[in-house]
Every structure is written in structure tokens, then in C-alpha cells.
Amino acid sequence: GSSGLFASDCGRMENFANEQLEFSMKYKAIQSATSIMSSDVQDSVFTVKWKIDTKGVFNWLFKIHNFYTSEFSLNRCRTLKSEKQIDQKNIQQSLFIKYDWEKLTATSNVDSTWGIPPQGCYDLLSMIYKLRTINSADHDSIQFIVDIESQIWSVKVNILGEVKLKNDLGISNVEKVELTFLSFEKTAKRKWKTDLLNNRISKPNSKIQIWFGPFPKRLPLLMKFGTD
């Protein structure tokens, strides 16, 4: 069945603390960037940091040197703070967002405040880590509420089942899931320009596909943003 997951225990995300995951990124099958995703837990706050750097000719075509940070409460199962430092060809930006769950508002450093849902919400990074804790055998679809820089989205996660994935370790049996971004409420236009990643997924019916390895780690072995 479908579930919202906000009453669920987020404590199991702590199992992924002190990780460092390294990814090779491709654009249209051409290696374009490297990225490192790391995590830490202190005082029941789960922190994820994600760094993306283009390489080679892509530094000239469309450079990206972006750094994202997410802080998430394991006790309350909701986002506390997010930050990004963006240095890409068409935008340089420092953005900070703080969530006030007593007032049900989020406030950014670009003089903007918006309402957040009382049942809580994730951001993109915390949602990926939460997905790693879920035994998909208990679900056929899963629902998240996600805030992406003042735009609140309902994200439907379809469990596509076991598939074979070829990687550096050979051919593995992995689980594939597909995330579809749907309007949760009327989406207001942002007061600022956003980066390539958030701009790409902040659209109705945009998709992310993730191939997860086996339990208990359920490592994200492959992620695909968009449908092309």
C-alpha cells in the first residue's frame, strides 16, 4: 500500500552516519563530473553534504562546482536547515533556509518566508537517505512531502522491483525505484534563480530513478535525473 512515512521512525537513518559515497556523473553517457556525498549524526541531527564538480571539457562548456548541506531531525522526522553554495556557469549563489516547526514557516537569507506543512517535510537529500531505510517489500508505492526552495512537492515513489545492473563490480541484482514530483499545493514562482539540479527536478511530473543495492546498506548505486 501507499504510506506517507511521517509517523515512521527516522532513527534508522543513523545507520548511514559517517559514510562517504563517491559517484561518477555522466551527461548523455559522457563522463562530466564527480560527486561526493557524506553523512554524519550529532545530537539526533542527521547531516548530509553533497559536493559536485565538473571535469575536463565540461568545466568550459558548463562548469558546476556546487555544495549542498541538509540537516534533518531524526527525532521529529523533518528538515531543520538546508544550505547550498553554488558556483556554476550561469549562477553564483549562497542560499540558507531554516525551518521553524512551531510557526510552520521556512525562511531564507534572500528575504523570503513561506509556509510548510504541519505533518513535516523532507528535502531531496534527506528523502534519499530515508528511502534507504525502507523495506520496499512492505509497499508498492510510497509518498513523501518535499520542500525544494519554497516549492512544496508531493513525491510518489514507485517500486519497480528487482533488475540487473552492470557496474565496476560486475552484474548485480538491485532494486529500482522511480520518484515522480507532483504538485502538493499551488506552486508559487521563486523569488530567486535556482541551480541546475533543483531547476531540473522542480517541475510537475519530473522524475528521479534510483537503483539501490541490498540491505542493510541499500547503497544508491545509480541515480538518474530526468527522463532523457
Side-chain angles (χ1 to χ4, degrees):
S2 177
S3 60
L5 297 174
F6 288 102
S8 300
D9 174 31
C10 286
R12 282 180 293 173
M13 291 168 65
E14 191 168 358
N15 295 334
F16 309 130
N18 304 311
E19 277 187 344
Q20 180 166 296
L21 309 179
E22 298 183 14
F23 297 90
S24 174
M25 304 184 76
K26 294 183 178 181
Y27 176 74
K28 296 188 182 296
I30 302 173
Q31 189 165 338
S32 57
T34 58
S35 81
I36 296 176
M37 190 180 292
S38 59
S39 57
D40 187 23
V41 174
Q42 291 187 5
D43 300 325
S44 296
V45 174
F46 189 83
T47 301
V48 184
K49 298 179 179 181
W50 190 19
K51 192 174 189 294
I52 302 175
D53 291 296
T54 46
K55 56 189 297 183
V57 68
F58 282 88
N59 269 324
W60 175 73
L61 291 173
F62 195 98
K63 76 162 185 174
I64 298 175
H65 300 292
N66 295 350
F67 185 69
Y68 305 84
T69 303
S70 165
E71 294 185 11
F72 187 82
S73 169
L74 297 179
N75 292 334
R76 302 190 69 187
C77 214
R78 55 196 63 197
T79 300
L80 299 175
K81 188 188 300 182
S82 65
E83 176 184 346
K84 68 177 187 179
Q85 302 290 335
I86 302 301
D87 179 17
Q88 63 184 51
K89 184 175 181 179
N90 62 335
I91 180 175
Q92 283 73 46
Q93 180 185 60
S94 294
L95 182 70
F96 306 87
I97 300 173
K98 187 172 182 180
Y99 294 80
D100 187 330
W101 291 103
E102 304 304 321
K103 297 180 180 178
L104 295 179
T105 58
T107 303
S108 76
N109 62 315
V110 291
D111 195 28
S112 183
T113 298
W114 57 95
I116 50 179
Q119 62 267 54
C121 66
Y122 293 75
D123 61 9
L124 178 61
L125 293 177
S126 59
M127 177 178 63
I128 291 172
Y129 274 85
K130 175 60 180 177
L131 269 173
R132 292 177 60 188
T133 72
I134 297 168
N135 185 350
S136 56
D138 299 333
H139 308 273
D140 49 36
S141 67
I142 301 163
Q143 205 84 12
F144 285 91
I145 300 175
V146 178
D147 178 27
I148 301 181
E149 296 182 22
S150 80
Q151 295 181 350
I152 310 296
W153 297 88
S154 174
V155 180
K156 184 177 182 181
V157 183
N158 286 324
I159 312 300
L160 302 181
E162 189 174 279
V163 298
K164 293 188 181 298
L165 176 68
K166 185 177 181 180
N167 56 32
D168 293 341
L169 302 177
I171 298 177
S172 306
N173 291 324
V174 300
E175 182 181 81
K176 183 179 180 181
V177 303
E178 184 175 73
L179 288 64
T180 303
F181 287 73
L182 306 169
S183 296
F184 177 75
E185 54 188 29
K186 186 175 180 181
T187 304
K189 186 176 181 180
R190 287 192 189 92
K191 296 183 178 180
W192 60 91
K193 188 175 182 179
T194 190
D195 61 280
L196 181 66
L197 172 65
N198 284 313
N199 184 60
R200 188 172 180 82
I201 61 177
S202 300
K203 299 174 182 176
N205 297 309
S206 67
K207 296 183 185 297
I208 300 175
Q209 295 177 333
I210 307 177
W211 287 254
F212 285 113
F215 275 102
K217 281 297 188 181
R218 240 167 97 82
L219 291 168
L221 300 175
L222 176 65
M223 292 188 283
K224 181 179 178 182
F225 296 83
T227 55
D228 54 356

